[in-house]
Amino acid sequence: AWRTARRSADEAVITYDLVDPWPYPGRVTQAVALTGDSLTLTMSVETYDESFPAQIGWHPWFNRTLGDQDVRVDFTAAWQEERGDDHLPTGRRIDPRPGPWDDCFGMPEGVRVTLTWPGQLALDVTSREQWVVVYDEQEAAVCVEPQTGPPDGLNTAPRLVTPIEPLEAATTWTWRRL
């Protein structure tokens, strides 16, 4: 169970101690902060002892339609991780292809994806991280997932959590009515 570390009208911080069966002692902390027309999600993973690989990502689902308008998903990626038959990246980077997607894209300057429901709402999903999975293969929903590494990154592009360097990431969602 997550424990509440702090909460107020516009912020909540929760923690989870990594315990058995997780092989390394540590803690995950999540902060959710609401400010005006934006929501910022921050997560950190820290260790109390040995270094270990970790990856952070969010997997928010959004309704495909708002009112009677289908969402438009707009972004510019430097590359797309080639997807194998098992839906995991092959390790090759290719030019971005048109959707529908269940794919990971690289954005070296940081994630920036805009979801637009024409005449209704626009939502910018941003992050300092350079990977984002975009999933729009379901009829009812789309998913935009900022991540600290590509899918299967623990095996292909591991980031180590060390006693002096936790893994930290954040994403901000900013919306505007149209």
Side-chain angles (χ1 to χ4, degrees):
W2 290 85
R3 289 190 301 219
T4 302
R6 182 173 69 240
R7 69 177 174 201
S8 68
D10 56 4
E11 180 188 44
V13 178
I14 57 177
T15 63
Y16 179 77
D17 290 322
L18 298 172
V19 295
D20 191 44
W22 186 255
Y24 307 100
R27 173 175 284 176
V28 178
T29 301
Q30 291 191 74
V32 178
L34 183 62
T35 308
D37 293 339
S38 68
L39 176 74
T40 299
L41 307 169
T42 306
M43 190 179 311
S44 67
V45 181
E46 59 186 303
T47 180
Y48 301 140
D49 192 10
E50 295 178 55
S51 298
F52 60 84
Q55 188 163 318
I56 293 173
W58 293 269
H59 305 280
W61 288 81
F62 302 98
N63 284 338
R64 179 175 294 279
T65 58
L66 184 58
D68 61 350
Q69 298 293 315
D70 276 354
V71 68
R72 284 192 334 251
V73 181
D74 298 308
F75 61 94
T76 301
W79 72 83
Q80 181 174 343
E81 299 285 338
E82 182 182 61
R83 180 178 51 163
D85 292 338
D86 60 359
H87 280 240
L88 293 176
T90 65
R92 288 190 51 228
R93 291 180 175 175
I94 59 175
D95 289 336
R97 296 182 178 161
W101 299 292
D102 179 10
D103 294 284
C104 183
F105 297 90
M107 299 181 175
E109 303 301 317
V111 169
R112 183 172 187 83
V113 178
T114 300
L115 301 171
T116 304
W117 294 267
Q120 301 285 324
L121 182 72
L123 176 69
D124 294 320
V125 177
T126 60
S127 176
R128 298 182 310 248
E129 301 306 322
Q130 69 174 355
W131 284 281
V132 64
V133 170
V134 178
Y135 177 78
D136 68 349
E137 292 183 346
Q138 277 195 4
E139 185 176 322
V142 298
C143 191
V144 176
E145 309 170 4
Q147 302 181 168
T148 59
D152 198 32
L154 291 179
N155 293 313
T156 62
R159 304 238 331 239
L160 285 182
V161 175
T162 73
I164 61 171
E165 192 172 351
L167 178 59
E168 300 173 324
T171 183
T172 299
W173 305 351
T174 305
W175 56 87
R176 59 194 174 285
R177 292 182 187 268
L178 300 177

